[in-house]
Amino acid sequence: MISLPLLPQEILEHIAYFVATECFVGPPSCLPHLLSTCRTIHRSLSFDNNPVLYARTFKYKFDCQAAMRRLGSRMTDPGTLANELRKRCTFLKLIRKRFGARAERSAKRGGPPDLLHDLLWLAYLMMLENDGKNEQQLREYANLEGWLMEYWFDDEGSSLASRRIKQDQWPLEDEKNSIAMWLLWLFLRLDSFPQTKSGYRALTTTLKFTALAANRYAICQPSWAEFTLESRAMTSDITHFSETYSLASPTLAPAAILAYMSLAMRAERSNTIHHLPQSLSSLPTNTRRSEDWDADWQRCVNLAQSRAPPIPAYVAGSIEGVWEGHFTYTEFTSYMSLLSGGLPPVLRDCLVAQHRQTWKLREYHLLDSQDDLKVMRPLALGDALSAFFPNGTRIRELSGSLEVHELGREETLQYARSVRSGMGDPSIVDIIIIGEGHSAWGQFSLYGRIRPLDGLISLIKEYVEGDRGRWFYRGFLVGNVNGQLSGRWRDTHSPPDVFGYEGCFIMSRRGC
């Protein structure tokens, strides 16, 4: 029998890798036992002396494709991956122990003041890079779903939502709560509803407030009324794969709307007209690819930048097709009371109705020919409540193209029908959306533009007949081509800098 210390280094590493990957979920908990057998083995296989072993273990347990695609080849360095393994194992253990889920528990355990902030960011970035492994680690080992339920809906949850609602105060919208709301939407399933009546009420009430109170929870930052975005959102310096990145957190509202309209309103279906979708997203997260979240990652990057021209946070061609979904509206008098400074009970007690709607959308691109010596000047910017179209603009849709006539401009702009080309196509100067649809209120036309920096979609919905009028929709395509449109509509009579009468909408691609 040959003793372990006498085995060749390659054999020792093979044994260590087998021990480290014997169980997929969770940290390589058996590896420390092997290292403690003797000094020779510890010296050969320790973290400091053998980063390649730990890098291989990281690749086995976590997804790497998205990080390589977005961050470049530098993140494949063995030392970088080994450090990331150690970091993730530490944070997974903290989530499993419910660190930070309750304010009381977090205070007792102490730790760096930004530890909860870093924990939430790591979980969110892991989901943006998820190709299956990351979600499995967070769901099956760390039980992030249970952590989120405690964070949001326990009376002592760190979000403070339940405590503030009981005091007739609005839930806080800070960076931690925004990221935690996105994680809630990504993880919460129908079979994980709170079993108690009080827990279920806390869930639906929190989501209702954050989804419907447009005057409290903005759909985006900076404002939807800007197109070129001279200002930037609040940013954080996040360490990811041993590098520090300035990232802007996503706003809370789009995720709250998705969660509310997909789940929470089921509790109020006796007051609604139709049943709601049966799942949180159009595809379960474990069937998605990390490419579905490329635009969401790019949005976090773009909104934090102030110098280099960013890659547009929108995958060209993604919105083309037929979409089905719902829009909500509340009692007008109740909503006006809310805008006049009403407290949360105004929204809690008001009725919320909903209607189905169908959109058929076509996407057109203004292309800048690389052979043309003059730079293509795009369509000018108009008022936000006109979806940024200048006054007097005339649009003519042809077979496979779009003619746009701008008032006071000699040449006619020719937009080509979209071809799905991914993010960052330098030839695309501007994107226009044209379409039509119907709801219980009648037939309507749709037209709008996409804000390139963060992918915000602005649409005018104009009813063809009757007195239903003209409405302004804005929101995001979450999850790229197979994702969902999530956002808010509002009246077009209130100025952009004044809160108007608003409601929510979500749309899923037909067949998803």
Side-chain angles (χ1 to χ4, degrees), residues 8 44 47 57 75 98 138 151 156 159 262 266 283-284 288 293 343 364 383 404 413-414 434 441 445:
S44 299
F47 184 89
T57 303
M75 57 75 54
R98 300 290 175 90
L138 288 166
Y151 177 92
E156 298 300 324
S159 70
S262 298
R266 288 172 57 84
L283 287 176
R288 289 183 174 276
W293 309 108
L343 296 175
Y364 291 92
D383 184 73
V404 180
L413 293 173
Q414 299 286 342
I434 298 292
W441 289 0
S445 62

Side-chain angles (χ1 to χ4, degrees), residues 477-499:
L477 177 55
V478 179
N480 287 1
V481 177
N482 294 316
Q484 287 184 309
L485 290 162
S486 169
R488 292 199 180 106
W489 59 263
R490 58 163 283 162
D491 72 271
T492 56
H493 301 292
S494 306
D497 58 347
V498 173
F499 293 114

Side-chain angles (χ1 to χ4, degrees), residues 66 69-70 124-132 135 182 185-186 258 281-300 313 315 423 477-484:
R69 186 171 63 252
R70 298 169 189 166
Y124 179 63
L125 292 177
M126 284 177 64
M127 289 306 296
L128 294 189
E129 296 169 357
N130 179 50
D131 279 303
E135 182 186 358
W182 279 90
W185 172 67
L186 288 166
L258 284 165
S281 56
S282 56
L283 287 176
T285 52
N286 59 9
T287 67
R288 289 183 174 276
R289 302 174 304 162
S290 59
E291 287 87 351
D292 288 335
W293 309 108
D294 281 350
D296 297 84
W297 156 261
Q298 196 62 46
R299 185 177 304 122
C300 294
V315 177
M423 289 196 306
L477 177 55
V478 179
N480 287 1
V481 177
N482 294 316
Q484 287 184 309

Side-chain angles (χ1 to χ4, degrees), residues 149-172 198-199 201-203 205-206:
M149 295 298 292
E150 194 168 318
Y151 177 92
W152 273 112
F153 309 118
D154 189 276
D155 287 344
E156 298 300 324
S158 290
S159 70
L160 303 180
S162 295
R163 183 188 302 180
R164 291 178 63 86
I165 287 172
K166 287 182 178 179
Q167 298 171 351
D168 288 339
Q169 296 177 344
W170 296 99
L172 294 172
S198 61
R201 188 183 300 114
L203 183 150
T205 302
T206 301

Side-chain angles (χ1 to χ4, degrees), residues 93-355:
K93 289 178 182 178
L94 288 173
I95 298 171
R96 185 182 176 94
K97 294 177 181 178
R98 300 290 175 90
F99 171 85
R102 299 180 70 204
E104 181 183 77
R105 186 179 300 165
S106 178
K108 284 182 178 179
R109 291 188 177 180
D114 58 352
L115 189 58
L116 176 58
H117 170 270
D118 294 344
L119 181 151
L120 286 164
W121 262 109
L122 176 65
Y124 179 63
L125 292 177
M126 284 177 64
M127 289 306 296
L128 294 189
E129 296 169 357
N130 179 50
D131 279 303
K133 295 179 182 180
N134 288 354
E135 182 186 358
Q136 194 172 349
Q137 297 288 357
L138 288 166
R139 191 183 291 278
E140 297 182 14
Y141 176 79
N143 188 21
L144 181 58
E145 187 177 4
W147 188 97
L148 289 165
M149 295 298 292
E150 194 168 318
Y151 177 92
W152 273 112
F153 309 118
D154 189 276
D155 287 344
E156 298 300 324
S158 290
S159 70
L160 303 180
S162 295
R163 183 188 302 180
R164 291 178 63 86
I165 287 172
K166 287 182 178 179
Q167 298 171 351
D168 288 339
Q169 296 177 344
W170 296 99
L172 294 172
E173 182 183 19
D174 55 17
E175 189 174 20
K176 294 173 189 166
N177 279 0
S178 295
I179 297 172
M181 182 61 75
W182 279 90
L183 290 169
L184 180 71
W185 172 67
L186 288 166
F187 274 85
L188 193 61
R189 298 173 298 187
L190 291 176
D191 58 4
S192 63
F193 276 3
Q195 298 302 309
T196 64
K197 185 178 293 185
S198 61
Y200 193 87
R201 188 183 300 114
L203 183 150
T204 54
T205 302
T206 301
L207 295 180
K208 183 178 184 179
F209 286 176
T210 52
L212 297 183
N215 62 325
R216 296 282 175 175
Y217 307 97
I219 197 70
C220 60
Q221 288 292 343
S223 169
W224 56 268
E226 301 179 36
F227 193 84
T228 56
L229 294 188
E230 298 300 325
S231 55
R232 289 291 185 270
M234 296 294 291
T235 65
S236 288
D237 289 335
I238 306 300
T239 300
H240 194 50
F241 287 97
S242 300
E243 294 281 342
T244 300
Y245 300 90
S246 288
L247 299 175
S249 65
T251 51
L252 181 147
I257 291 168
L258 284 165
Y260 174 62
M261 294 189 67
S262 298
L263 280 179
M265 280 184 65
R266 288 172 57 84
E268 303 174 17
R269 61 185 174 215
S270 60
N271 296 324
T272 59
I273 301 169
H274 297 288
H275 293 292
L276 288 161
Q278 298 295 307
S279 60
L280 281 170
S281 56
S282 56
L283 287 176
T285 52
N286 59 9
T287 67
R288 289 183 174 276
R289 302 174 304 162
S290 59
E291 287 87 351
D292 288 335
W293 309 108
D294 281 350
D296 297 84
W297 156 261
Q298 196 62 46
R299 185 177 304 122
C300 294
V301 173
N302 287 357
L303 292 177
Q305 289 185 353
S306 59
R307 295 181 181 178
I311 299 171
Y314 177 78
V315 177
S318 295
I319 207 171
E320 177 97 13
V322 180
W323 298 79
E324 297 175 322
H326 300 76
F327 66 93
T328 70
Y329 57 96
T330 57
E331 297 170 303
F332 185 78
T333 54
S334 296
Y335 203 86
M336 290 304 104
S337 177
L338 177 70
L339 297 184
S340 300
L343 296 175
V346 172
L347 193 56
R348 180 180 60 214
D349 300 332
C350 76
L351 296 179
V352 181
Q354 61 157 324
H355 280 303

Side-chain angles (χ1 to χ4, degrees), residues 42-77:
H42 187 278
R43 186 166 54 251
S44 299
L45 304 176
S46 69
F47 184 89
D48 293 331
N49 294 334
N50 200 331
V52 173
L53 168 64
Y54 297 88
R56 289 181 63 204
T57 303
F58 177 87
K59 290 180 178 180
Y60 177 81
K61 290 181 173 287
F62 298 97
D63 296 306
C64 298
Q65 295 92 331
M68 292 178 62
R69 186 171 63 252
R70 298 169 189 166
L71 307 180
S73 58
R74 64 182 181 280
M75 57 75 54
T76 60
D77 175 74

